[in-house]
Amino acid sequence: MLIGIPNLLTPDLLRHLKAMGHGDELVIADANFPAETCAARIERLAGASATEVLRAILTIMPLDSYVDHPARTMQVVGDPDTVPDIVADFQKIIDETADHPAKIRGVERHEFYVEARKTYCIVQTAETRLYGNIILQKGVVPPS
């Protein structure tokens, strides 16, 4: 247990978050996401929702302020303009919690998988809401 670190974040996940550099990305994935196919590094938070994990991570990890879209989600197949409830929840959490709030950009499903394969790590959750996946790009931690 540590002061100021959400209990949801495991020691291994904290190690990965600390090891990531500026511009590195991670995926917070739902239970249906093909994490084994897409990543060499997977952390599982089997009892947590994607929104809980997003909020916890954003309390300690900055979003990249040097790119237009440091947060990306998967578009609804066949209806890319639809915003699923969970994506609206993601946006609300980013607006409330992120050091650098940014508008989420939707990415076509297969392109999302391509992008996910390039990320540093996938954090797979127990999320069962469809389209509960988000890619985050890490920003710079300001000097203390």
Side-chain angles (χ1 to χ4, degrees), residues 10-143:
T10 64
D12 287 335
L13 180 52
L14 288 169
R15 181 179 57 80
H16 288 308
L17 293 172
K18 178 75 172 166
M20 289 172 62
H22 173 237
D24 280 344
E25 297 178 319
L26 67 83
V27 178
I28 298 172
D30 65 25
N32 289 301
F33 192 81
E36 291 287 337
T37 302
C38 290
R41 295 178 194 95
I42 302 170
E43 291 299 323
R44 289 190 171 79
L45 299 178
S49 71
T51 48
E52 291 171 320
V53 173
L54 176 62
R55 186 175 304 279
I57 287 174
L58 289 179
T59 64
I60 63 169
M61 188 188 90
L63 285 181
D64 197 337
S65 62
Y66 296 118
V67 297
D68 291 332
H69 301 286
R72 299 178 310 285
T73 58
M74 185 184 296
Q75 293 174 336
V76 174
V77 174
D79 193 5
D81 295 327
T82 294
V83 177
D85 290 343
I86 191 164
V87 173
D89 291 346
F90 286 158
Q91 186 65 66
K92 184 177 181 194
I93 292 166
I94 289 170
D95 292 344
E96 294 171 352
T97 310
D99 69 314
H100 173 69
K103 177 129 175 65
I104 293 172
R105 181 174 66 91
V107 177
E108 186 274 330
R109 175 180 170 230
H110 294 289
E111 181 59 29
F112 189 92
Y113 292 140
V114 168
E115 290 185 24
R117 285 184 182 94
K118 298 175 188 173
T119 63
Y120 180 87
C121 165
I122 293 179
V123 182
Q124 188 145 44
T125 69
E127 185 61 64
T128 57
R129 291 177 284 176
L130 299 179
Y131 299 98
N133 308 295
I134 187 166
I135 296 173
L136 301 176
Q137 189 166 351
K138 186 177 181 181
V140 175
V141 175

